[in-house]
């Protein structure tokens, strides 16, 4: 009798679901709309830097370089988020027009990107005020030509950080 009950139970379980119609497949989902490329957030000023900042943008209008007035008189901090740090490279060059200005890269700065700075020559600010294109060079990496995100921001920055009169 036990065998008959066990056989009946197994047959009953096997029969479960045979009469159910096959589940209909869920309707296909439309592909997700492509989202606009996300730009990295604008960095906060590094430690020891005033809040005065100039954003330099590339030809597409995307931020590519940030310049900050340093707290020490006449100092400049440069942050290039698109450049990759190299442990053996400590020179970060900022070019304006056809003139290059050398700065020291901070190999201990948190990423992403490369940060450096120093005391710039006044000629850098003069060239920037004239609207000459800016480039950053770090080892074999280059970003630019770049321009200020707005003319008003450029005028204010060269006035405050470079000591040049606003025009």
């Amino acid at each position: 009798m036990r065998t008959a009950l066990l056989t009946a139970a197994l047959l009953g379980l096997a029969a479960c679901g045979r009469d159910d119609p096959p589940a209909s497949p869920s309707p296909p989902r439309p592909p997700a709309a492509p989202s606009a490329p996300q730009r990295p957030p604008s960095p906060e000023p590094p430690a020891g830097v005033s809040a005065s900042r100039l954003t330099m943008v590339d030809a597409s209008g995307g931020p590519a370089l940030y310049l900050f007035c340093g707290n020490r008189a006449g100092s400049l901090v440069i942050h290039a988020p698109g450049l990759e740090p190299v442990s053996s490279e400590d020179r970060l060059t900022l070019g304006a027009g056809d003139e290059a200005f050398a700065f020291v890269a901070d190999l201990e700065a948190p990423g992403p990107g490369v940060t450096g700075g120093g005391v710039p020559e006044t000629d850098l600010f003069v060239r920037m005020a004239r609207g000459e294109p800016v480039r950053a060079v770090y080892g074999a990496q280059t970003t630019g030509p770049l321009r200020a995100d707005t003319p008003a921001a450029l005028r204010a920055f060269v006035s405050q950080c470079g000591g040049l009169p606003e025009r």
Side-chain angles (χ1 to χ4, degrees):
M1 176 127 170
R2 282 181 120 177
T3 308
L5 286 175
L6 184 58
T7 304
L10 288 175
L11 288 174
L13 287 175
C16 285
R18 280 191 184 171
D19 296 335
D20 296 339
S24 63
S26 58
R29 289 185 159 181
S35 62
Q38 296 294 317
R39 293 192 177 165
S42 179
E44 291 298 315
V49 174
S50 73
S52 180
R53 174 186 68 207
L54 178 63
T55 302
M56 303 298 290
V57 297
D58 58 21
S60 71
L65 190 71
Y66 300 95
L67 304 176
F68 300 91
C69 291
N71 282 342
R72 290 181 302 142
S75 66
L76 180 69
V77 175
I78 304 158
H79 179 69
L83 300 180
E84 292 292 323
V86 177
S87 62
S88 62
E89 183 62 53
D90 65 351
R91 181 180 179 143
L92 176 60
T93 303
L94 194 61
D98 60 359
E99 190 68 34
F101 302 89
F103 295 91
V104 177
D106 180 357
L107 300 178
E108 301 298 317
V114 174
T115 300
V119 178
E121 297 176 33
T122 304
D123 191 36
L124 171 63
F125 294 107
V126 169
R127 290 171 176 276
M128 289 174 59
R130 288 195 300 237
E132 294 184 20
V134 172
R135 288 177 173 76
V137 178
Y138 179 70
Q141 304 171 69
T142 302
T143 185
L146 310 170
R147 61 177 172 73
D149 59 344
T150 67
L154 175 62
R155 286 191 301 273
F157 187 81
V158 298
S159 173
Q160 182 178 1
C161 297
L164 300 180
E166 280 196 51
R167 296 180 193 192

